[in-house]
Amino acid sequence: MKKVYLVADNITSPLGATTAQNFEHLVNGVTGVRQHDNETLSDDPFFAALFEKGYFQTDERWTKFEHLIIASLTETLFGVDKNIAGKNTVLIISTTKGNISLLETETPGPELDVRIALHTSAKKIARHFGFVNEPIVISHACISGLAAMITGMRLIQSGQYDHAVVAGADVISKFVLSGFQSFQAVSPALCKPFDVDRDGINLGEGAATVILSEIKTEDEAIELVSGTISNDANHISGPSRAGEELYYAINKAIDAGGLKPEDIDFISAHGTATVYNDEMEAKAVTLAGLQHTPLNSLKGFYGHTLGASGLIEAIISAQSLKQNIIIPTQGFNKQGDDNPVNVCSQPISKPLNNCLKIASGFGGCNAAIILTKSQKEI
């Protein structure tokens, strides 16, 4: 089986325009989540991680969603071999909402139907950067980012491509925010993942890009060892109460990576700070025998960035492996689940080799990937 490496990446978020800027802010405990009083998004004040007004370019060719994808791709592709867009490369776009905000501003009709379609944006972006192959769109609720990485990994391992450029983004509109508010799932304050007092999510905007390749560009690189997807087949919005289906994905990913539970150095959880999501994750982690493994959630820094969340959090996990630092869980104070897990409340510095990244989403979807520090060859 071919090995697949993370050879370049970018995070574009309210915390910074590069991965390095983002990671530095996380290490220093800086969060992008704050209170907003914006009546175009909500009648009431709300907490979220949003880009500053004026960040998005005024250009009729591109929507906010597309602008974010382009910004992240541009930063990632800068300095990369120009052949990266050739026939041996596939572009994969990850998002949950895409241009859904156009429903709020445009007149319904055939033109809007075409413009709002995810494949329309993907093809425009592919042409902009000169990708010659048909782009792939992955829109699979909140596991979209991880599902896109797994898809890229499998396409490389199957021999169809040498490289996969995976980019994901979502922006927050009134349509998106009101949807979560209708579920009573939005916290009125800063979110508290895995905490006894957690009461809902904060949303966030962001984009991320990672280039996967069978070609190792550095002596020490991060390898995407394995990835698995499962489904609860339980409920359209509520996660399984048992956690067995996420456990299945975790167990399969660890086994496919040739590892054992004790080999996992830390877990990057989905950690939305809703009562049921965090409880389900804690049960799944416990079933996997990983309840003592250090675990974090980044939602207190970024909010829930939907289709970009899996990518952003996987890239930060890769940086954690490289720099041997586990980022703490912003907002966590006291254990709040019947199955206690080892939630990081302070930064941890220690040698790190293997990370388990997990995510879950509406429709009962679950995903798990293993990232491993590929050691220098002697």
Side-chain angles (χ1 to χ4, degrees):
M1 186 74 74
K2 292 182 179 179
K3 292 187 175 183
V4 177
Y5 301 98
L6 282 65
V7 298
D9 57 64
N10 166 263
I11 297 173
T12 300
S13 81
L15 286 180
T18 66
T19 298
Q21 290 173 1
N22 276 265
F23 196 77
E24 181 180 4
H25 282 310
L26 297 184
V27 170
N28 291 324
V30 179
T31 176
V33 178
R34 63 179 181 84
Q35 188 176 38
H36 296 268
D37 191 357
N38 185 339
E39 292 184 356
T40 64
L41 295 178
S42 174
D43 293 336
D44 301 313
F46 62 97
F47 282 79
L50 306 179
F51 288 98
E52 295 291 337
K53 186 177 180 180
Y55 172 82
F56 296 100
Q57 295 177 359
T58 303
D59 191 333
E60 293 182 356
R61 293 177 303 166
W62 306 109
T63 63
K64 290 183 177 181
F65 160 67
E66 292 159 355
H67 170 70
L68 263 185
I69 291 276
I70 289 170
S72 183
L73 274 167
T74 300
E75 183 66 35
T76 310
L77 294 173
F78 180 77
V80 174
D81 187 342
K82 290 181 173 53
N83 293 327
I84 198 69
K87 65 180 181 179
N88 294 325
T89 300
V90 60
L91 172 66
I92 304 175
I93 301 294
S94 159
T95 185
T96 65
K97 304 303 179 186
N99 285 323
I100 199 72
S101 61
L102 293 178
L103 290 175
E104 303 170 19
T105 59
E106 304 299 319
T107 303
E111 288 188 10
L112 178 60
D113 292 343
V114 172
R115 188 67 187 92
I116 207 169
L118 295 179
H119 63 78
T120 299
S121 295
K123 289 178 179 179
K124 285 186 64 178
I125 292 166
R127 287 196 299 269
H128 178 75
F129 287 100
F131 287 96
V132 297
N133 293 311
E134 190 85 357
I136 296 172
V137 176
I138 302 292
S139 185
H140 198 353
C142 298
I143 72 166
S144 296
L146 293 191
M149 290 182 68
I150 293 169
T151 300
M153 176 191 72
R154 291 174 177 172
L155 289 171
I156 292 171
Q157 289 175 338
S158 70
Q160 294 183 61
Y161 299 100
D162 297 333
H163 320 286
V165 179
V166 184
D170 266 307
V171 297
I172 303 306
S173 63
K174 188 170 186 176
F175 180 94
V176 173
L177 179 56
S178 64
F180 283 93
Q181 288 172 332
S182 71
F183 279 106
Q184 298 183 356
V186 179
S187 174
L190 292 171
C191 69
K192 305 176 182 69
F194 296 99
D195 191 81
V196 66
D197 294 323
R198 66 182 183 273
D199 56 3
I201 67 171
N202 301 143
L203 291 175
E205 297 178 320
T209 302
V210 62
I211 299 178
L212 305 177
S213 177
E214 65 174 344
I215 301 171
K216 188 177 180 182
T217 57
E218 300 176 354
D219 288 337
E220 186 174 81
I222 303 301
E223 180 183 350
L224 176 54
V225 176
S226 61
T228 307
I229 293 172
S230 68
N231 196 281
D232 299 346
N234 174 67
H235 191 273
I236 193 170
S237 61
S240 163
R241 298 292 188 267
E244 293 175 351
E245 296 81 9
L246 175 58
Y247 158 64
Y248 175 86
I250 292 172
N251 189 50
K252 287 293 183 181
I254 292 175
D255 185 60
L259 302 173
K260 298 178 180 179
E262 55 266 30
D263 296 322
I264 303 300
D265 294 307
F266 76 99
I267 303 166
S268 173
H270 195 49
T272 61
T274 61
V275 172
Y276 293 126
N277 173 89
D278 293 9
E279 181 182 20
M280 183 276 289
E281 279 196 287
K283 287 180 178 178
V285 166
T286 301
L287 287 171
L290 295 167
Q291 63 269 32
H292 302 301
T293 303
L295 173 150
N296 70 3
S297 165
L298 299 179
K299 297 299 190 292
F301 292 100
Y302 290 106
H304 193 342
T305 54
L306 306 177
S309 63
L311 283 167
I312 289 174
E313 293 161 13
I315 292 170
I316 293 300
S317 297
Q319 287 297 313
S320 289
L321 289 173
K322 289 180 178 180
Q323 301 191 35
N324 296 304
I325 298 173
I326 303 175
I327 303 298
T329 301
Q330 185 85 358
F332 174 80
N333 290 301
K334 184 179 179 181
Q335 191 70 238
D337 293 291
D338 293 335
N339 298 95
V341 288
N342 186 13
V343 182
C344 299
S345 59
Q346 299 293 330
I348 297 175
S349 295
K350 69 173 188 176
L352 301 172
N353 292 305
N354 302 303
C355 167
L356 167 68
K357 170 69 196 132
I358 55 179
S360 299
F362 284 171
C365 54
N366 307 291
I369 66 170
I370 301 292
L371 299 173
T372 292
K373 187 185 295 178
S374 179
Q375 302 298 325
K376 295 179 180 179
E377 297 178 2
I378 300 175

